[in-house]
Amino acid sequence: MRAAVVPAKETATRLRLRLRGAVQGVGMRPFVHGLALRFHLSGFVRNDAEGVLIEVEGFTRDFVSALRAELPPLARLDSCECEEIAPRGDAGFQIETTRRGKAQTRIPADAATCEKCLDDLFDPSSRFHLYPFVNCTHCGPRYTLTRALPYDRAQTSMARFPMCADCAQDYADPTNRRFHAEPIACPTCGPRLTHAPQEIVAALRAGAIVALKGIGGFHLLCDAHNAETVAELRRRKGREAKPFALMLANEASLALFGAPTPEEAALLRAPAHPVVLVESRKNLPEVLAPGMSRIGVMLAYAPVHHLLFHAAGAERDAPCDFALVATSANPGGEPLVTGNDEARRKLEKIADLIVTHDRDIVVRADDSVMQIVDGAPAFLRRARGFVPEPIDLGGDGPCVLACGGHLKATLTLTRGREAFVCQHIGDLSDAETFRFYEESAAHLLRLLDVQPEVVACDLHPDYLSTRFAENFGLPVLRLQHHAAHVAAIAAEHGETEIFGAALDGTGLGDDGAIWGGEVLRLDGRGGFLREGALAPLPLWGGDRAAREPWRMGLAAFAALGRLDEAAGFFSAVPQAAQVAKMLGARHPQTSSLGRLFDAAAALLGFPQKQEFEGQAAMRLEALVREPKALPGGYVWRDQKLDFTPLLAHLIDARPDPRKGAELLHGTLIAGLAEALCALAQVGEEIALGGGCMMNRILSEGLAQRLRENNHAPLLARKLPPNDGGLSLGQAALARAALKN
Amino acid sequence: LSHGAGGRAMAQLIGEIFAENFANDLLAQGNDQAVFSVPPGRLAMTTDGYVVSPLFFPGGDIGSLAVHGTVNDLAMAGARPLHLSASFILEEGFPLADLQTIAQSMGAAAREAGVKIVTGDTKVVERGKADGVFISTAGIGVVPDGLDLSGDKARPGDVILVSGTIGDHGVAIMSSRENLAFETQILSDSAALNGLVADMVAACGPHLKLLRDPTRGGIAATLNEIAHQSKIGLRIEEDALPVKAEVAAACEFLGLDPLNVANEGKLLAFVAPEAAQDLLRVMRAHPLGKESAIIGACVEDPHHFVQMRTAFGGGRIVDWLSGEQLPRIC
Ligand SMILES: [Fe+3]
Ligand SMILES: [Mg+2]
Ligand SMILES: [Zn+2]
Ligand SMILES: [Zn+2]
């Protein structure tokens, strides 16, 4: 074929290329323009509703391979169709201006300051020298400052800053890196910061807590080396133990604080600049992340961050010991603060200094949090840098709005073969967070300009997302929680019919029981079969059972028929004796793996109240060096996987916490793998979803064991495996049900 | 108690128990209906069925509950309750002594509330067809002219009061059901509120918008009902909610929220802001309202949300729950 199109001695041809994917607002047109000039080609490039359309004429032989090889940093090609058409003999190469209407169909995600902009930032001869808002088509804020489509300056919060002559010239010049960089700005025409970086750094060095307006919201910053200030920040935020993330000057500084693997380092450098969990070097105060072996680290990603580190003496690409705690400014469980007045009102009692600027944050986005699991990136929280990138569902389908869970709520809206999952929202019980949730739904519907046929939600009647769905005014599909977890993993991989497990906290089962450790087979028509589950444990006290692991510790005794010993075991917990007495009576049961983790944590000496979900389980994970299976630690029989022998061992042998944690993880991996392999068909893929899959040891151990048995494990890659990904699974199930 | 044969003697025995305990002129006439004249005003009428386990609990029993509940439903319209009817479904084998105790406590509750149980009925069903005893009571009362309390009458700005500590009844029931022993025994708050309401109406009648007793589902359910009926939002303050320390502790321990726990002797009052302090004073002066408190206010809110400001400053959405303790944490 190729030989027919391109003869050995090349003659002039005309090609039409259709690019799809993340190809708009990422500097694609100037890049193509430059490439055309390099190969002396005539023709044009333009954005349209489907992406980018290119026609080039001349000696085009190497154009396509160069295009693919040299794409701009933020561009991603989903497909590139190429056909030869009749030459037209036009002169020169044109960038055709965007046609209004349905064009500019996508808003790109926010991206960290690029190397070239850093050059400008620290180049005394550049007009962007030390300018905290420098950006270009390869970097900068986008989604967080865009109100509506099409994505151009008038629709962003930069609309109120008329470009100066220099900026206008760069913006209009196809050969310039800032050609159609919508947020382009310079000290002459752009936004301003309220405080000088030197002043901010002086405050930080003096032990102050600083609220700094960033890209998707305000951070609370303090000197990470100052244990007292970090402890003070915990007091003021009312957050005792939840780990804080660290912001570092640059990649070179990483080795001072952590031991990132090459994969982790690559993820830290990615345009999104997420927070990444890396092995801690433990040379920072323990109060930063009590009881954790890994710390969350991110690299400075906005020009203002670079300016702070610069003011603190950091040199570009040289290790810098100055490190900042950088945590979301979300007082009292409310959403991240984004507005200037709001910051002054709500952060007054938390921050000693509030630094703002006059570029509005239109869309709130927390920092994304990721880790490397089984050799590849995985999300703990998906927000800045990734929304609004769609997820390809692998095929067309009806338009649905899915409402997610309750605590880690997200929404998903589908359009054609794409699913748009909004950023991490949070606990809907908080009134402000619920408002954010509603705004996010409205924003998604407005941006995508589609009309859903149905809304999908959880079976749980008391999730506020369920109430939202009920009040939406469209037919409601109520979907089982764990089927949605498995469907989410399948959907990421473009599938609907799948076998898998949801290893999770709790969710309502379709039999009215409380599920959470389920082996399910999804039929691809919205239905599923429950092929296996964990043997249930008593669950007393509703949500309190998840907050106070000792309650699940008692449940372990109850399941073993040894309740009489329980009060003695938990003698340090005053209420244990009473609750033990109650457990003899009727009580709900749960097959949740999350609650089994809590039970084990309690038996291993972590019975106290948890400040955040999964805290006890995270501490156990942090203790594990190598998981070890306890022989006879589980029983797999009658489609029930029973870990009470392991619990009995934890009670009787009283292993130290590390040994116990290793036995727990090892035995869970062995038991779950055996059950899954027994239920799966030969060579079948196995989807692994649910909140417990954020446990890296468990995920990796299970994935490896499944591979050893010739099953390909499918893990959550594009969304978190916990309830943050639930809405995608609901959307996929709903579409499957509608097609049926 | 036996079902079927030998019914006549039994019926007579039961009739005597009720006659003795409910003793009043209308019942004593022995007719299948009571005939009486009514004072001027509009009539209020209500009916309710009572099913409770255990039948006897700290602070009351199913009998007193059956009187208080129906009296209170009348009182929440501002009505002066007059007469009640009572209908019993008894399970075969139910101890006569227990029936005697229940009837006694009903009689006492009625006398205390100033109402008469003027007509009644009893059926005995086979073992297993009922759980001990079920009681239905209906009641009528008279609403003074000019008073019109209703669930849709609350307006933004109106103030919300509660007549005392919340959650007592539900926790008392739950603890006796689970056989829990606390240092201080928690008693049900079961009581007839018509006396308190009469004082409130006398002092602030024209300013009162609505009254409601937060029984099943607790004040969370009742506040949500009112928010929807009145098409407004409600804002309450966590710190202002009266909760007994031992009830709070028991809730903590049972995994409950006092907001969702039933009350049987409390009312929520919605009143125009200018009368709120007067009303509070009047309520606190009554023995059943000593711990009354202003707990919040009505606002415009298209969502009709009930929100609670917590100690931390956040606004928590107070929702009604679907009965069971379904965990939401995942
Ligand atoms: Fe879940
Ligand atoms: Mg009633
Ligand atoms: Zn740049
Ligand atoms: Zn400028």
Side-chain angles (χ1 to χ4, degrees):
Chain A
M1 277 298 285
R2 191 179 161 85
V5 177
V6 185
K9 190 165 190 325
E10 195 185 4
T11 56
T13 52
R14 188 175 181 93
L15 299 181
R16 175 183 285 163
L17 293 103
R18 154 65 62 202
L19 311 186
R20 289 192 180 85
V23 292
Q24 296 181 357
V26 293
M28 183 62 90
R29 288 175 300 165
F31 160 72
V32 172
H33 180 262
L35 213 55
L37 295 187
R38 193 196 318 164
F39 292 106
H40 309 289
L41 304 176
S42 62
F44 67 86
V45 57
R46 74 165 173 248
N47 286 346
D48 64 15
E50 288 175 75
V52 168
L53 187 71
I54 305 168
E55 288 188 18
V56 281
E57 186 169 329
F59 299 117
T60 59
R61 188 175 58 188
D62 298 325
F63 177 82
V64 179
S65 52
L67 178 96
R68 283 182 175 282
E70 299 171 30
L71 282 181
L74 300 182
R76 204 197 60 240
L77 274 190
D78 287 344
S79 69
C80 170
E81 290 159 26
C82 178
E83 59 174 325
E84 192 178 336
I85 56 173
R88 292 213 317 235
D90 43 8
F93 190 87
Q94 310 297 327
I95 295 183
E96 296 192 356
T97 48
T98 300
R99 296 180 183 177
R100 281 277 170 167
K102 277 268 181 187
Q104 294 276 21
T105 53
R106 280 192 190 172
I107 304 169
D110 303 285
T113 307
C114 73
E115 289 296 316
K116 283 180 179 156
C117 282
L118 283 180
D119 292 343
D120 292 340
L121 188 63
F122 297 117
D123 174 4
S125 71
S126 164
R127 78 176 200 282
F128 301 105
H129 184 227
L130 304 183
Y131 181 57
F133 302 92
V134 61
N135 65 81
C136 73
T137 46
H138 302 160
C139 74
R142 290 149 157 74
Y143 184 58
T144 52
L145 45 73
T146 306
R147 288 179 222 286
L149 283 167
Y151 172 61
D152 63 32
R153 190 177 179 94
Q155 307 269 27
T156 71
S157 56
M158 287 302 294
R160 55 189 273 219
F161 300 97
M163 283 180 234
C164 67
D166 288 338
C167 285
Q169 190 182 354
D170 286 357
Y171 184 87
D173 174 4
T175 65
N176 193 290
R177 200 172 88 246
R178 297 192 171 87
F179 174 70
H180 277 264
E182 306 302 342
I184 187 176
C186 76
T188 311
C189 64
R192 284 158 205 277
L193 205 60
T194 51
H195 297 72
Q198 291 74 10
E199 195 184 336
I200 303 167
V201 168
L204 288 166
R205 290 231 194 255
I209 293 167
V210 174
L212 175 71
K213 188 177 187 181
I215 300 296
F218 279 74
H219 273 139
L220 290 168
L221 303 178
C222 74
D223 178 355
H225 288 288
N226 188 335
E228 244 169 73
T229 305
V230 179
E232 178 63 19
L233 176 59
R234 289 208 174 277
R235 265 191 300 282
R236 292 192 201 167
K237 250 195 130 181
R239 173 162 154 171
E240 270 173 49
K242 199 170 180 185
F244 284 141
L246 208 57
M247 182 183 279
L248 302 180
N250 51 35
E251 205 187 333
S253 310
L254 275 171
L256 299 178
F257 304 98
T261 62
E263 291 89 353
E264 286 162 353
L267 187 53
L268 278 158
R269 289 194 297 267
H273 270 43
V275 174
V276 178
L277 298 189
V278 304
E279 208 59 45
S280 167
R281 285 235 187 272
K282 295 279 175 202
N283 58 354
L284 285 165
E286 175 67 11
V287 63
L288 205 71
M292 299 296 154
S293 60
R294 291 185 292 167
I295 46 169
V297 179
M298 69 189 125
L299 303 181
Y301 59 79
V304 62
H305 303 148
H306 291 284
L307 291 174
L308 287 187
F309 285 104
H310 178 71
E315 282 176 48
R316 217 172 141 193
D317 301 328
C320 167
D321 188 47
F322 188 69
L324 292 170
V325 164
T327 181
S328 299
N330 53 345
E334 287 182 26
L336 181 62
V337 168
T338 54
N340 293 354
D341 292 340
E342 188 194 5
R344 282 186 275 267
R345 202 170 61 242
K346 292 182 176 170
L347 302 178
E348 182 197 8
K349 292 206 179 86
I350 301 179
D352 302 302
L353 178 69
I354 298 177
V355 181
T356 71
H357 55 68
D358 49 357
R359 184 178 71 195
D360 288 343
I361 296 171
V362 174
V363 179
R364 174 185 292 114
D366 286 87
D367 291 319
S368 294
V369 184
M370 302 184 78
Q371 61 178 341
I372 297 293
V373 174
D374 201 34
F379 284 97
L380 298 157
R381 182 169 79 191
R382 178 181 177 271
R384 178 187 52 78
F386 296 96
V387 280
E389 276 285 292
I391 287 158
D392 185 356
L393 294 173
D396 215 344
C399 174
V400 303
L401 175 66
C403 301
H406 182 80
L407 280 182
K408 307 265 193 280
T410 57
L411 293 137
T412 294
L413 184 61
T414 66
R415 181 177 70 184
R417 58 184 289 154
E418 293 174 326
F420 293 82
V421 185
C422 77
Q423 64 273 45
H424 160 83
I425 289 178
D427 178 358
L428 298 184
S429 290
D430 176 81
E432 292 285 325
T433 307
F434 190 82
R435 193 182 321 239
F436 174 29
Y437 175 82
E438 288 185 313
E439 281 166 12
S440 301
H443 195 64
L444 269 180
L445 287 162
R446 200 170 46 236
L447 285 185
L448 301 188
D449 193 22
V450 289
Q451 177 57 45
E453 290 177 31
V454 298
V455 284
C457 67
D458 199 272
L459 283 182
H460 199 305
D462 299 333
Y463 283 0
L464 282 165
S465 51
T466 303
R467 292 250 199 284
F468 174 81
E470 286 165 349
N471 294 330
F472 196 81
L474 284 177
V476 177
L477 277 179
R478 290 160 213 273
L479 301 163
Q480 204 280 321
H481 190 91
H482 302 102
H485 270 309
V486 174
I489 307 297
E492 275 194 20
H493 296 82
E495 301 186 37
T496 53
E497 208 181 322
I498 200 121
F499 171 80
L503 306 173
D504 202 28
T506 52
L508 186 56
D510 61 6
D511 58 357
I514 298 160
W515 292 7
E518 313 304 315
V519 182
L520 307 175
R521 183 174 294 282
L522 272 49
D523 62 13
R525 300 185 305 274
F528 68 93
L529 268 179
R530 190 188 193 199
E531 297 199 336
L534 294 198
L537 290 175
L539 175 92
W540 185 269
D543 276 340
R544 279 212 167 77
R547 296 213 183 90
E548 300 166 17
W550 60 267
R551 290 176 186 270
M552 290 311 300
L554 294 186
F557 279 95
L560 288 163
R562 294 167 59 175
L563 257 184
D564 47 328
E565 301 166 50
F569 192 95
F570 291 109
S571 56
V573 181
Q575 298 165 321
Q578 286 273 13
V579 175
K581 231 166 76 188
M582 284 191 328
L583 278 169
R586 70 193 162 78
H587 42 69
Q589 305 250 322
T590 183
S591 51
S592 162
L593 181 60
R595 295 299 84 78
L596 179 66
F597 261 100
D598 291 339
L603 299 178
L604 290 171
F606 301 100
Q608 306 85 351
K609 259 191 193 170
Q610 308 194 67
E611 179 191 326
F612 54 95
E613 304 96 62
Q615 183 181 6
M618 279 170 70
R619 294 193 82 135
L620 292 184
E621 182 194 355
L623 290 172
V624 177
R625 288 201 198 103
E626 199 190 329
K628 297 181 185 75
L630 175 73
Y634 65 89
V635 179
W636 165 239
R637 189 192 299 140
D638 303 331
Q639 296 182 304
K640 287 271 180 282
L641 182 56
D642 184 355
F643 286 103
T644 46
L646 168 71
L647 296 173
H649 179 83
L650 299 184
I651 292 169
D652 296 327
R654 295 240 177 178
D656 66 60
R658 177 181 310 279
K659 182 138 188 276
E662 292 182 337
L663 284 174
L664 170 69
H665 284 80
T667 312
L668 288 177
I669 291 165
L672 290 164
E674 182 179 335
L676 285 167
C677 292
L679 294 168
Q681 286 155 20
V682 177
E684 192 175 27
E685 284 178 331
I686 301 180
L688 299 172
C692 297
M693 296 313 285
M694 302 212 305
N695 181 318
R696 183 171 64 153
I697 308 271
L698 181 67
S699 276
E700 292 183 344
L702 197 47
Q704 187 187 332
R705 197 62 62 85
L706 296 182
R707 268 193 297 266
E708 286 163 11
N709 287 279
N710 301 315
H711 294 286
L714 298 183
L715 300 177
R717 294 298 180 197
K718 297 174 182 166
L719 287 172
N722 68 359
D723 284 10
L726 201 65
S727 62
L728 176 70
Q730 292 169 343
L733 280 177
R735 278 162 54 112
L738 285 177
K739 273 198 216 167
N740 193 20
Chain B
L1 271 180
S2 63
H3 170 67
R8 179 179 288 267
M10 187 61 60
Q12 199 170 350
L13 202 54
I14 293 171
E16 280 166 20
I17 288 178
F18 291 145
E20 177 200 331
N21 287 296
F22 301 167
N24 61 66
D25 47 343
L26 288 167
L27 189 66
Q29 290 172 1
N31 294 326
D32 282 345
Q33 70 288 115
V35 178
F36 48 84
S37 50
V38 287
R42 290 165 306 145
L43 285 183
M45 181 171 178
T46 186
T47 184
D48 222 331
Y50 297 85
V51 176
V52 61
S53 164
L55 296 172
F56 302 93
F57 48 85
D61 58 44
I62 188 171
S64 53
L65 200 61
V67 172
H68 293 152
T70 295
V71 165
N72 290 347
D73 279 348
L74 292 171
M76 293 309 116
R80 180 163 69 83
L82 299 172
H83 302 322
L84 304 188
S85 73
S87 161
F88 294 79
I89 309 280
L90 297 165
E91 186 184 11
E92 183 183 1
F94 187 71
L96 215 53
D98 284 355
L99 185 64
Q100 168 70 24
T101 313
I102 289 168
Q104 223 165 31
S105 112
M106 281 184 86
R111 275 188 300 279
E112 210 176 320
V115 295
K116 293 174 182 170
I117 301 170
V118 297
T119 185
D121 178 57
T122 307
K123 295 281 184 308
V124 181
V125 298
E126 277 172 58
R127 209 178 277 273
K129 294 271 166 72
D131 186 10
V133 56
F134 299 153
I135 305 177
S136 274
T137 52
I140 62 161
V142 184
V143 183
D145 280 328
L147 190 67
D148 188 12
L149 307 180
S150 170
D152 57 2
K153 288 239 149 68
R155 293 290 168 268
D158 287 349
V159 173
I160 311 167
L161 295 92
V162 67
S163 65
T165 55
I166 58 168
D168 301 5
H169 176 74
V171 167
I173 291 282
M174 188 76 96
S175 344
S176 62
R177 202 182 286 164
E178 303 295 346
N179 223 344
L180 299 181
F182 295 104
E183 264 172 47
T184 354
Q185 194 180 32
I186 296 166
L187 300 182
S188 163
D189 58 352
S190 180
L193 296 169
N194 52 323
L196 172 63
V197 170
D199 290 0
M200 292 165 68
V201 168
C204 304
H207 299 287
L208 274 181
K209 304 300 184 70
L210 72 96
L211 301 173
R212 191 158 296 175
D213 52 340
T215 54
R216 199 164 41 168
I219 70 166
T222 304
L223 291 172
N224 273 289
E225 266 167 43
I226 292 168
H228 278 87
Q229 262 184 288
S230 286
K231 300 187 171 51
I232 51 170
L234 308 181
R235 300 291 179 267
I236 59 173
E237 304 281 332
E238 186 174 39
D239 291 343
L241 289 175
V243 186
K244 287 196 176 89
E246 56 268 33
V247 168
C251 280
E252 172 91 35
F253 157 75
L254 291 161
L256 302 170
D257 187 329
L259 292 168
N260 301 118
V261 176
N263 310 276
E264 288 294 348
K266 296 291 160 17
L267 61 79
L268 289 164
F270 287 65
V271 67
E274 61 270 26
Q277 290 301 333
D278 285 345
L279 185 64
L280 181 64
R281 209 164 344 152
V282 169
M283 289 169 72
R284 284 187 172 166
H286 191 278
L288 289 176
K290 270 188 270 186
E291 285 159 296
S292 295
I294 291 177
I295 59 166
C298 307
V299 296
E300 301 263 12
D301 178 354
H303 290 106
H304 312 152
F305 274 151
V306 179
Q307 276 181 39
M308 180 166 76
R309 206 166 56 197
T310 59
F312 237 105
R316 202 190 107 193
I317 296 173
V318 177
D319 211 10
W320 66 92
L321 298 180
S322 316
E324 289 180 52
Q325 288 186 60
L326 288 177
R328 291 196 292 194
I329 291 181
C330 182

